[in-house]
Amino acid sequence: GMGKGFREIAEQMTADGKKMNHATARNYFLRAMEKLAKPLSEYSGRSANDIASDVRFQTAVADLLRYK
């Protein structure tokens, strides 16, 4: 699941000289997702936090980044 992904990100960041644990990696990720969700929240009436933590939104963002 996503937890393993955050652990891998944290390990890579630490290997690159920036100490980080998986909870911090997850917080950075969700903060970025919230920034992307903010314009949608103004139209939908759902909070940016609610949209950002929706796996469907996260998957859509990942798909957009994957197919450039």
Side-chain angles (χ1 to χ4, degrees):
M2 284 300 257
K4 185 169 189 283
F6 292 122
R7 202 168 302 117
E8 289 166 357
I9 291 166
E11 286 168 6
Q12 185 61 53
M13 293 294 286
T14 299
D16 291 346
K18 298 171 185 69
K19 287 209 58 75
M20 180 180 287
N21 63 37
H22 69 279
T24 304
R26 182 176 184 278
N27 288 339
Y28 276 112
F29 172 78
L30 286 175
R31 209 172 309 146
M33 288 292 111
E34 279 190 51
K35 286 181 181 171
L36 294 172
K38 196 155 179 50
L40 292 174
S41 74
E42 292 164 12
Y43 288 103
S44 69
R46 286 176 72 190
S47 73
N49 181 283
D50 186 36
I51 296 168
S53 52
D54 189 321
V55 83
R56 294 169 300 177
F57 177 73
Q58 294 173 4
T59 302
V61 170
D63 287 346
L64 286 170
L65 293 173
R66 196 172 295 121
Y67 304 109
K68 35 182 157 98

